[in-house]
Amino acid sequence: MKYKPNETRESEKGDFTVNRRRLLQAGGALIALPFISSKIANATSKALVSPSVARREERIVQTCSTFDCGGKCDVRVHLSQGTVTRISTRPDSALDEQMPVMRACVRGRAYRQFVYHPNRLKYPMLRVGKRGEGKFKRISWDEATTLIAEQMKRIGDTYGPAARFAHVATGVSGGSFSGDKMLKRLLNLTGGYLGYYHSVSMGNTAAATPYTYGVAASGSSLDTLSETKLVILWGHNPTETIFGHTNYFYKKMKENGTRFIVVDPRYSDTATSYADQWIPLLPTTDNAMMDAMMYVIVTENLHDKAFIERHTLGFDEQNMPEGVPANESLVAYLTGVKDGVVKTPEWAEKITKVPAQTIRQLARDYATTKPAALIQGWGPQRHICGERTARASTLLATITGNVGVKGGWAGGYGGIASRKFMTGIVQPQNPVKATISIMNWMQAVEDASKVRPEDGLKNADKLDTNIKMIFSLAGNYLANQNPDINKTIKLLEDESKVEFIVASDLFLTPSAKYADLLLPETSFMERWNIGETWGTGSYFMLSEKVIEPDFERRSDYEWLREVAAKMGVEAAFSEGRDEKQWVEYIVEQTRVTRPEENLPTFEQLQVQRQHLFKSAPHVAFEKNITDPQNNPFTTPSGKIEIFSKRLYDMQNPEIPALSHYVPATEGPEDKLIEKYPLQLITWKGKHRANSTQYANPWLQEVEPQTLWINPQDAKNRQIVQGDEVQIYNDRGVSRVPVEITSRIMPGVVAMRSGAWWNPDKDGVDRGGCANVLTSTRMTALAKGNSHQTLLVEVKKA
Amino acid sequence: MTNFVEFKPVSDKQLGFFIDSSLCSSCKACQVACKDKNDLEVGRRFRRIYSLTGGGFIDNGSGAYQNNVYSYNLSIACNHCDDPACVKNCPTTAMHKREGDGIVRVNTDKCIGCGYCSWSCPYGAPQMNKQTGQMSKCDFCVDLQAQGEPPVCVATCPLGAIKFGPIEELRKQYGVLSEVRGLPSSAITKPNLVIKAHSGAEEGVTNHA
């Protein structure tokens, strides 16, 4: 078949004409940099010292970033006369294959522009205009810490300690000794605060996975996949997200001949690097494809009967829990006994837009390749139906016997039980017992009486007070990363609701604009900490203070300690330790709790820089499978629960006992699609960690913010390459340049997440921040976020 | 103007780059590490990643989509060509190819910033330093090599998709391919470049769905 070449394809003749201009054209989107304002470009050259490698006398320090980035990669800082002059990374000779540390990625290589950026906050500042207007005046640290102490006391005394709230802090929460932990310590010591649960990154899958296995930690160490013949990456994009050292192992597997299939509406960079096959499907329809795969596997007799019989509950009618009526089993569901709908690939084709034959072949490949690993990323579970999708991957793994075997993968959340971490600081008890989902915080600001247990409130029947004080430490979740920004800022702007907002950050982020008191935080190069990786990596790395903070920048701990003194709890708060001593304390505590690890002392660590927790390869649930009598699963039945009686008893159509497809609100089967015919998804661009490093000019050059749209959808809207477009729904409007590409499937548009919201005078976002369009809708089971599920329309601006 | 610093040849054999385009994910760590090492402002990139996408979607007749989309990346700096167009077109001899290692450099003591090298290079390697009004380009990190270190792009790639060395050795190990869809004909300048092609760079490939 002949396809129409898309915009980045070469000449019609097939051969490249010898011409530099055409080469540039091929990378046209890379050449045009509409977002790089001259202001930033000028700032770049000023920000840099201009050393030549040959002239320098330098000291090289191995360190790592400690904001919430997935890698904790090896970053080597070249220091000359107290200034960072260059960054390098781990050489091949320092690679330990048993627990590899990744070389710094593009973000790690750009840190000089982050640390020396001229727009970094410099002094403590107090708001002078209306809240959110972004007008501040400089004050002293003494005034700032006095004010915080007074407000903490006043608000605690007036409304009760539950009126005090510490918001998500991804900019500081990636290290063992983080500002957010120490803030919570201070709050605990002064009466308490309203805590939250749920992770917006992976909270839905973490809540759903235990209904199958009893626990959430369903991941195996990646070294167990070395001989796996087939890997299906389902909404998993480690190449751009940087997920610990995943890429190291995937590359080795690729070289060993492992076949990779990538299921994703978008042809991600992970697909570019690894995919032998790319299967795009409509967002929120994952369950339909998974149901059809299970139908093929079961009806073609490809399921692992012995495994199912021995280890599972709920596969067919013969093996159901007590007290459940007939026709609720998986087989009954798949064959349509209950609802009359047979879950054939032809049924799923119409829902997913994936050809039936492709689904059929994928099911056969997965079921007949032994072992095979269906690895699900955290993108699909960030949908309104994400809990069901997470559980469906566990069911697929189960019926094919890929659970508990080397080279298989159990699906679901994927966290690895064998990983080791530092022993953290001991938190004093929080006198406030109630906790809310992070998705409840706006309601708790507006009217706390509406946050009931059925809405997500835990450990209490009701909340006694609205949130009146918010701390946001390097946390762009206050406005920017929170869904439905336009709704969020209305709440924040109302000074009668939240009475005092403290933000500490490196930059005036869109969230920091809503501060009453704005504090200039240090970067990881200007403070002591310990970095611990995400994903599958298991090691820690010293993050040393390598440069002195400029201007009046202070680490969160320093000013918190001053506030503690003004509130009369300094001794209990600091235990006499400065920042470096706390890091030393954490290292020493971990040495005590993990004697078998033979950890370096703090002195040794300053030479050794890192410690690799090396463990034997870990296959999740291996013991439960090899010796089920002595190692039952921690579910009520002691088995893998394909059918969950616990979910069944909730009697909520959004929480089926099996994992099956339910059309999503604001999905492709919602009537709203007539008004807003495109599904928008976001992805984590390689050039920032969530919204951190947004302001880095080198990284803006790497990937300018654009909307990806398929050529067919662009053509239908008379949109051509380079056009500015408006993306809109009832919640807001964002305006960015378009990128027409067949790397996104028809019917779906995509933007990089984490861009900074930048409203013009009409309220139209010019920054490409998808959260002016996302909804605050909560998932049924986890009371979690659904950032990925939304409908929009796109038109030429 | 910047002071031009000369280095002795770092090899007696022509050096070149190997790019594993089949593996390159376009992470652009090489691009940014190069900017960091060379203090390049936004707009100047001695190493650049070109992404090529092709294929598309058609309706399969049942309402679903069949696709043959492919995408791959080419990380390209200066290829330190055997027959460099930039050197041939330089009116002042500032652009020169060194004896021994064959590295192509700009002598900034001589460069008048006319830009002919930039216009003649099919790869876009020479780029104007607007601050000095002179040309600048990848010099194979000759200063690092003089200290026994690899070029920064090579030492950066998280997946090891960039290698360097005497071109004859690279060709022995990785083959002689130096042009794929997306690159100019190698006949023009005889680049010292070896590429492992991505499957998407092969004609007529339909490997999806």
Side-chain angles (χ1 to χ4, degrees):
Chain A
M1 80 194 68
K2 198 75 187 161
Y3 292 91
K4 200 174 171 215
N6 82 346
E7 81 291 350
T8 52
R9 199 156 179 180
E10 68 287 5
S11 73
E12 298 285 334
K13 290 172 200 157
D15 287 317
F16 229 66
T17 316
V18 184
N19 181 331
R20 169 179 170 251
R21 281 163 184 270
R22 201 171 282 279
L23 176 65
L24 293 178
Q25 224 172 40
L30 308 174
I31 307 298
L33 297 165
F35 277 8
I36 308 298
S37 71
S38 58
K39 194 175 159 201
I40 292 171
N42 289 338
T44 313
S45 51
K46 272 184 218 157
L48 291 172
V49 289
S50 200
S52 135
V53 171
R55 281 187 268 128
R56 281 203 298 268
E57 286 191 16
E58 59 184 14
R59 183 167 78 92
I60 303 173
V61 182
Q62 180 195 340
T63 182
C64 73
S65 89
T66 51
F67 59 80
D68 195 21
C69 182
K72 301 294 171 288
C73 306
D74 186 326
V75 171
R76 300 199 175 184
V77 175
H78 296 231
L79 284 162
S80 180
Q81 295 175 336
T83 303
V84 183
T85 56
R86 186 160 87 86
I87 283 167
S88 62
T89 190
R90 171 185 62 68
D92 285 339
S93 57
L95 173 70
D96 188 313
E97 293 200 25
Q98 205 182 333
M99 184 46 66
V101 175
M102 285 304 284
R103 286 172 158 178
C105 81
V106 67
R107 311 195 284 254
R109 303 311 296 246
Y111 279 136
R112 278 204 304 144
Q113 295 284 353
F114 181 68
V115 171
Y116 291 122
H117 198 293
N119 289 358
R120 271 186 65 182
L121 299 175
K122 298 174 180 67
Y123 309 102
M125 290 192 287
L126 191 65
R127 172 169 68 86
V128 288
K130 279 187 278 186
R131 191 186 280 159
E133 211 178 6
K135 290 184 182 160
F136 297 91
K137 68 167 185 184
R138 185 176 162 185
I139 60 169
S140 71
W141 270 112
D142 185 51
E143 289 171 298
T145 52
T146 302
L147 187 58
I148 296 168
E150 283 171 2
Q151 292 289 338
M152 282 178 78
K153 188 165 183 334
R154 181 188 69 81
I155 287 168
D157 289 350
T158 311
Y159 303 103
R164 310 190 302 181
F165 187 67
H167 216 290
V168 183
T170 56
V172 297
S173 56
S176 304
F177 184 67
S178 60
D180 72 325
K181 290 191 189 85
M182 294 312 276
L183 167 66
K184 286 168 188 167
R185 183 180 175 84
L186 178 60
L187 287 162
N188 284 335
L189 290 168
T190 56
Y193 67 102
L194 179 63
Y196 71 81
Y197 65 90
H198 188 77
S199 157
V200 291
S201 295
M202 48 68 181
N204 294 326
T205 185
T209 303
Y211 286 94
T212 306
Y213 298 125
V215 295
S218 58
S220 302
S221 59
L222 292 183
D223 49 7
T224 61
L225 296 176
S226 55
E227 287 145 42
T228 302
K229 291 179 206 136
L230 174 67
V231 168
I232 302 169
L233 301 179
W234 198 300
H236 190 32
N237 183 19
T239 296
E240 288 170 275
T241 307
I242 307 298
F243 218 75
H245 55 204
T246 301
N247 287 313
Y248 172 81
F249 285 102
Y250 284 5
K251 182 201 159 197
K252 278 182 75 164
M253 286 152 62
K254 186 82 187 157
E255 285 166 356
N256 290 342
T258 302
R259 182 162 175 249
F260 280 81
I261 299 174
V262 172
V263 180
D264 197 318
R266 177 180 158 260
Y267 194 104
S268 64
D269 288 356
T270 299
T272 305
S273 257
Y274 304 116
D276 295 290
Q277 186 184 3
W278 172 50
I279 302 176
L281 88 174
L282 287 182
T284 71
T285 69
D286 307 62
N287 276 93
M289 184 150 124
M290 290 167 147
D291 289 348
M293 284 172 70
M294 288 192 263
Y295 173 83
V296 171
I297 290 166
V298 170
T299 57
E300 296 189 4
N301 216 16
L302 305 175
H303 52 299
D304 190 331
K305 289 169 242 1
F307 184 94
I308 291 167
E309 196 174 328
R310 193 163 184 225
H311 299 293
T312 74
L313 180 75
F315 177 73
D316 58 24
E317 293 297 310
Q318 280 72 54
N319 190 16
M320 289 290 284
E322 293 290 315
V324 178
N327 299 329
E328 292 288 346
S329 68
L330 180 64
V331 171
Y333 165 71
L334 296 174
T335 53
V337 176
K338 190 183 168 195
D339 60 3
V341 181
V342 186
K343 310 305 179 303
T344 62
E346 283 70 21
W347 163 80
E349 174 179 72
K350 293 189 169 46
I351 298 167
T352 60
K353 301 285 182 188
V354 181
Q357 191 49 37
T358 304
I359 299 173
R360 196 166 271 120
Q361 192 60 48
L362 178 67
R364 289 172 183 160
D365 286 354
Y366 178 55
T368 58
T369 311
K370 302 279 181 184
L374 191 163
I375 300 175
Q376 198 172 53
W378 294 345
Q381 61 88 49
R382 240 165 261 158
H383 281 289
I384 190 69
C385 53
E387 295 149 351
R388 298 193 291 271
T389 308
R391 232 171 76 76
S393 65
T394 67
L395 266 53
L396 271 162
T398 296
I399 66 167
T400 54
N402 277 305
V403 178
V405 298
K406 182 171 183 287
W409 191 267
Y413 164 53
I416 303 169
S418 68
R419 287 187 61 198
K420 292 173 186 162
F421 299 92
M422 304 300 286
T423 304
I425 52 166
V426 178
Q427 279 286 9
Q429 212 172 33
N430 182 358
V432 177
K433 296 293 166 240
T435 60
I436 57 170
S437 163
I438 190 59
M439 295 300 293
N440 292 134
W441 78 269
M442 289 167 68
Q443 195 60 60
V445 167
E446 178 87 61
D447 179 1
S449 72
K450 300 261 169 65
V451 185
R452 300 157 303 176
E454 57 267 39
D455 305 307
L457 179 65
K458 281 189 184 171
N459 305 325
D461 299 331
K462 62 181 184 66
L463 285 177
D464 297 327
T465 170
N466 293 355
I467 291 172
K468 290 290 181 182
M469 177 177 203
I470 295 178
F471 287 92
S472 176
L473 307 188
N476 208 359
Y477 267 88
L478 186 61
N480 205 82
Q481 302 296 88
N482 203 72
D484 202 345
I485 290 183
N486 290 318
K487 184 166 123 188
T488 311
I489 56 152
K490 279 200 186 76
L491 273 185
L492 293 173
E493 278 166 357
D494 186 344
E495 293 165 34
S496 74
K497 293 204 166 73
V498 185
E499 294 177 7
F500 195 63
I501 300 175
V502 180
S504 160
D505 210 323
L506 277 71
F507 291 88
L508 185 61
T509 65
S511 295
K513 271 192 186 150
Y514 287 84
D516 296 304
L517 182 61
L518 183 58
L519 307 174
E521 162 67 315
T522 48
S523 77
F524 72 91
M525 290 192 195
E526 297 144 349
R527 62 179 180 228
W528 287 91
N529 210 335
I530 295 169
E532 294 177 81
T533 184
W534 304 354
T536 61
S538 191
Y539 58 81
F540 66 86
M541 198 180 286
L542 184 63
S543 181
E544 182 174 329
K545 178 178 178 177
V546 289
I547 52 177
E548 284 300 320
D550 284 334
F551 302 97
E552 291 187 14
R553 290 168 191 146
R554 281 191 189 182
S555 69
D556 288 327
Y557 179 62
E558 284 178 64
W559 63 259
L560 282 166
R561 193 174 179 181
E562 204 166 293
V563 175
K566 288 176 180 174
M567 297 184 85
V569 294
E570 200 281 332
F573 175 74
S574 75
E575 296 181 5
R577 297 185 192 94
D578 66 16
E579 187 172 77
K580 187 177 174 183
Q581 287 163 332
W582 271 108
V583 172
E584 178 172 3
Y585 170 79
I586 289 167
V587 172
E588 294 305 325
Q589 285 300 107
T590 311
R591 277 167 55 78
V592 171
T593 51
R594 296 194 175 281
E596 77 289 354
E597 274 290 333
N598 198 20
L599 292 172
T601 63
F602 186 61
E603 285 302 308
Q604 288 164 338
L605 184 63
Q606 288 175 72
V607 178
Q608 193 177 317
R609 314 308 300 181
Q610 63 186 19
H611 177 78
L612 311 179
F613 291 116
K614 295 183 192 173
S615 310
H618 172 81
V619 175
F621 310 122
E622 191 171 27
K623 277 187 190 162
N624 310 79
I625 295 305
T626 51
D627 182 10
Q629 264 63 46
N630 293 312
N631 303 283
F633 283 88
T634 52
T635 54
S637 64
K639 301 210 165 190
I640 300 174
E641 296 197 345
I642 291 172
F643 178 96
S644 168
K645 179 82 165 31
R646 287 179 289 172
L647 295 180
Y648 179 81
D649 288 344
M650 293 180 192
Q651 287 298 310
N652 181 339
E654 295 284 324
I655 312 176
L658 298 163
S659 67
H660 57 73
Y661 176 68
V662 180
T665 305
E666 266 199 73
E669 294 194 61
D670 192 320
K671 267 208 155 63
L672 188 66
I673 204 152
E674 288 164 19
K675 189 177 177 192
Y676 298 118
L678 296 168
Q679 290 183 269
L680 173 67
I681 55 167
T682 61
W683 80 94
K684 286 179 185 293
K686 56 197 157 207
H687 58 329
R688 53 182 175 250
N690 293 316
S691 81
T692 306
Q693 290 222 59
Y694 171 83
N696 189 322
W698 281 348
L699 295 178
Q700 290 187 344
E701 183 182 35
V702 160
E703 290 204 315
Q705 187 72 354
T706 55
L707 178 83
W708 280 23
I709 188 168
N710 183 275
Q712 294 177 21
D713 292 321
K715 195 177 165 204
N716 292 342
R717 290 164 178 76
Q718 283 93 46
I719 293 165
V720 297
Q721 194 71 282
D723 276 349
E724 284 237 327
V725 292
Q726 289 213 353
I727 312 135
Y728 61 97
N729 59 19
D730 287 343
R731 291 180 289 267
V733 189
S734 184
R735 185 175 160 167
V736 286
V738 77
E739 189 164 340
I740 300 173
T741 174
S742 49
R743 289 177 66 176
I744 187 81
M745 70 184 293
V748 185
V749 290
M751 281 162 107
R752 296 162 184 88
S753 62
W756 285 7
W757 173 59
N758 180 20
D760 66 15
K761 60 177 178 24
D762 302 317
V764 172
D765 165 49
R766 299 298 188 99
C769 182
N771 284 328
V772 299
L773 303 158
T774 53
S775 92
T776 53
R777 215 168 273 128
M778 282 169 35
T779 57
L781 177 67
K783 309 297 174 199
N785 53 309
S786 61
H787 275 79
Q788 289 289 5
T789 308
L790 63 154
L791 294 171
V792 299
E793 176 57 303
V794 172
K795 66 175 183 190
K796 197 171 163 171
Chain B
M1 222 166 101
T2 53
N3 282 332
F4 180 67
V5 182
E6 187 57 287
F7 293 89
K8 287 180 192 158
V10 293
S11 166
D12 56 1
K13 292 182 182 123
Q14 172 70 51
L15 297 175
F17 285 116
F18 165 68
I19 305 295
D20 187 346
S21 173
S22 73
L23 194 62
C24 174
S25 72
S26 175
C27 82
K28 301 190 184 176
C30 56
Q31 171 183 311
V32 168
C34 173
K35 292 179 78 90
D36 180 51
K37 187 258 173 182
N38 292 301
D39 285 332
L40 301 182
E41 72 285 358
V42 167
R44 226 167 13 131
R45 293 170 301 157
F46 291 169
R47 185 166 277 285
R48 305 160 302 285
I49 291 74
Y50 299 99
S51 293
L52 283 96
T53 299
F57 290 80
I58 57 160
D59 197 304
N60 74 341
S62 311
Y65 297 115
Q66 203 82 29
N67 86 81
N68 68 343
V69 173
Y70 64 85
S71 182
Y72 62 95
N73 310 296
L74 293 162
S75 172
I76 299 296
C78 171
N79 298 312
H80 303 281
C81 305
D82 278 350
D83 192 10
C86 58
V87 172
K88 275 205 269 192
N89 285 286
C90 177
T92 69
T93 73
M95 192 67 80
H96 61 286
K97 186 169 177 66
R98 289 150 54 94
E99 290 294 321
D101 54 28
I103 295 173
V104 175
R105 296 191 74 203
V106 197
N107 182 338
T108 46
D109 293 341
K110 292 182 182 175
C111 177
I112 56 168
C114 68
Y116 287 177
C117 54
S118 160
W119 283 104
S120 56
C121 172
Y123 299 97
Q127 293 168 24
M128 187 65 81
N129 178 345
K130 286 184 182 148
Q131 262 189 338
T132 63
Q134 293 181 305
M135 272 302 162
S136 60
K137 65 182 285 300
C138 159
D139 65 359
F140 228 131
C141 289
V142 66
D143 49 354
L144 291 179
Q145 287 203 53
Q147 296 170 22
E149 290 178 44
V152 72
C153 53
V154 175
T156 292
C157 181
L159 296 181
I162 309 178
K163 301 192 186 308
F164 86 111
I167 191 70
E168 285 313 316
E169 284 178 28
L170 293 176
R171 284 176 183 146
K172 255 184 236 163
Q173 198 171 350
Y174 302 108
V176 297
L177 189 66
S178 62
E179 59 180 89
V180 293
R181 261 196 316 209
L183 282 178
S185 164
S186 59
I188 312 305
T189 60
K190 299 187 173 55
N192 286 299
L193 175 69
V194 174
I195 290 173
K196 182 177 174 192
H198 189 277
S199 61
E202 291 156 17
E203 283 292 346
V205 63
T206 50
N207 60 342
H208 295 307

